[in-house]
Amino acid sequence: MKPETLKKRLDKNRPMTTITVRIPADVIEDLKRVAPLLGFSGHQSLARTYIGQGLRSDLELLENDAVLALIASLKRHGVTDEVIQEALVDVAQR
């Protein structure tokens, strides 16, 4: 991640947006149970942390110039977006 982007991400006063996400009740209960054990004030802050970690991991992968060049080349050679997306998911899960 670029230093200026990281600096913005670490700003505690950046704007927030409210969203609605359907999450299974048992997952929410687990978040509520685990959050205080990990030092979080509540389950929502823990969920935001998990989302942020996954997003940063994916952004790191996708912002790599070599990966972007490879994706562009694959598209020029007729590889579908669906196949490329499946491959990116495979790589991210390793």
Side-chain angles (χ1 to χ4, degrees):
M1 185 176 293
K2 297 177 183 175
E4 62 272 5
T5 303
L6 183 57
K7 188 175 180 179
K8 288 179 186 176
R9 290 281 169 96
L10 294 174
D11 180 5
K12 300 283 186 203
N13 296 317
R14 55 189 186 158
M16 301 285 265
T17 299
T18 300
I19 64 168
T20 301
V21 180
R22 293 177 56 81
I23 299 176
D26 62 310
V27 172
I28 297 297
E29 291 306 315
D30 288 343
L31 285 168
K32 287 178 179 178
R33 185 172 48 87
V34 171
L37 300 174
L38 295 177
F40 288 88
S41 59
H43 67 288
Q44 291 182 0
S45 56
L46 178 58
R48 280 193 300 272
T49 297
Y50 286 150
I51 292 168
Q53 287 173 343
L55 180 58
R56 281 189 299 280
S57 174
D58 289 346
L59 285 172
E60 183 177 323
L61 173 68
L62 295 173
E63 288 177 349
N64 181 323
D65 289 339
V67 172
L68 294 176
L70 176 61
I71 290 170
S73 177
L74 291 170
K75 287 182 179 184
R76 284 193 304 275
H77 285 84
V79 177
T80 66
D81 287 341
E82 182 179 78
V83 171
I84 292 170
Q85 181 62 33
E86 288 175 12
L88 289 170
V89 168
D90 285 347
V91 169
Q93 291 177 346
R94 290 183 184 196

